[in-house]
Amino acid sequence: FMLTQPHSVSESPGKTVTISCTRSSGSIASNYVQWYQQRPGSSPTTVIYEHNQRPSGVPDRFSGSIDSSSNSASLTISGLKTEDEADYYCQSYYTSIVLFGGGTKLTVL
Amino acid sequence: EVQLLESGGGLVQPGGSLRLSCAASGFTFSSYALTWVRQAPGKGLEWVSGISGSGSSTYYAASAKGRFTISRDNSKNTLYLQMNSLRAEDTAVYFCAKGVDSGSYYWLDPWGQGTLVTVSS
């Protein structure tokens, strides 16, 4: 299956933005979805794992969810800060194969 | 603190070979599956290969199968990626990342800083 993300999103500081990740086939709930943040020149870091879990150190402004009706996962960032500007990737897996979405460039302006 | 440090990248001619290493510290190395993920310049993330904690099970993306070999030395806490028959499209930053347990890497965390492989004549 494939994971499809919007190429880019933009929003103003203090606002809320949601990034979607749609699974092409099979149920989104069948395999955990993770979300990674990648700032320019840096390695990816986890902001959400197992659909909606936040690692320690990640602000609660970041939240994850899945929607079976649209077969998609979502990353929501509230109270946007300029430091949230980055690329965001969703990721899932099946039978030991890891799949990434194409990435979404978040611009905070 | 868990740390992963890749090395071995560089410039190689098409058709050439390169071996990447990933030195790990801060966790019981043999208890965790590990993976390689690459990122071509200006592009997204692409999973390359994964290996179980014991090293007995290995998995490859279609783009790597038959050309790349993943392995690990649990006595040296080091992960490897042997890359043969390299092509221009293999040019990328290669990251190693730690899995969840000895048999699964459904979640990759943390990641190393990456090593750049450039395939060009």
Side-chain angles (χ1 to χ4, degrees):
Chain A
F1 61 88
M2 295 172 54
L3 298 171
T4 301
Q5 300 179 233
H7 180 69
S8 63
V9 296
S10 61
E11 190 49 270
S12 302
K15 299 293 188 179
T16 296
V17 70
T18 297
I19 299 172
S20 62
C21 172
T22 302
R23 179 167 169 161
S24 61
S25 61
S27 172
I28 191 70
S30 297
N31 308 97
Y32 284 128
V33 174
Q34 282 62 236
W35 289 90
Y36 303 96
Q37 177 192 69
Q38 186 180 31
R39 295 190 174 104
S42 297
S43 314
T45 59
T46 306
V47 291
I48 295 291
Y49 68 99
E50 295 179 0
H51 294 326
N52 57 14
Q53 301 299 302
R54 239 182 356 262
S56 59
V58 174
D60 60 5
R61 300 185 296 106
F62 290 81
S63 63
S65 63
I66 61 169
D67 180 357
S68 295
S69 64
S70 59
N71 212 36
S72 64
S74 294
L75 171 68
T76 298
I77 311 172
S78 60
L80 276 169
K81 301 184 176 183
T82 54
E83 67 202 48
D84 298 332
E85 187 162 291
D87 294 326
Y88 291 85
Y89 295 90
C90 62
Q91 173 259 311
S92 192
Y93 68 98
Y94 74 99
T95 59
S96 297
I97 304 296
V98 174
L99 294 171
F100 292 97
T104 299
K105 181 177 181 59
L106 170 61
T107 301
V108 181
L109 38 61
Chain B
E1 180 192 6
V2 174
Q3 288 192 327
L4 300 169
L5 184 63
E6 302 92 338
S7 61
L11 175 63
V12 61
Q13 292 188 338
S17 298
L18 211 56
R19 189 177 83 157
L20 306 183
S21 299
C22 172
S25 60
F27 63 100
T28 304
F29 187 74
S30 60
S31 294
Y32 292 90
L34 298 165
T35 69
W36 288 99
V37 177
R38 69 184 181 182
Q39 186 171 37
K43 302 298 184 181
L45 302 171
E46 179 190 12
W47 178 77
V48 174
S49 183
I51 187 168
S52 62
S54 66
S56 61
S57 298
T58 58
Y59 306 91
Y60 298 93
S63 59
K65 202 167 293 185
R67 299 188 301 127
F68 294 2
T69 301
I70 190 172
S71 63
R72 61 193 297 162
D73 186 335
N74 287 347
S75 68
K76 295 183 177 179
N77 287 5
T78 303
L79 172 71
Y80 303 101
L81 185 68
Q82 177 67 43
M83 303 186 295
N84 299 330
S85 303
L86 284 163
R87 307 163 180 165
E89 53 264 37
D90 296 318
T91 294
V93 174
Y94 285 73
F95 299 98
C96 62
K98 173 179 163 288
V100 177
D101 57 33
S102 63
S104 178
Y105 40 79
Y106 69 81
W107 172 28
L108 309 180
D109 190 85
W111 299 51
Q113 90 291 344
T115 187
L116 176 62
V117 172
T118 302
V119 183
S120 174
S121 55

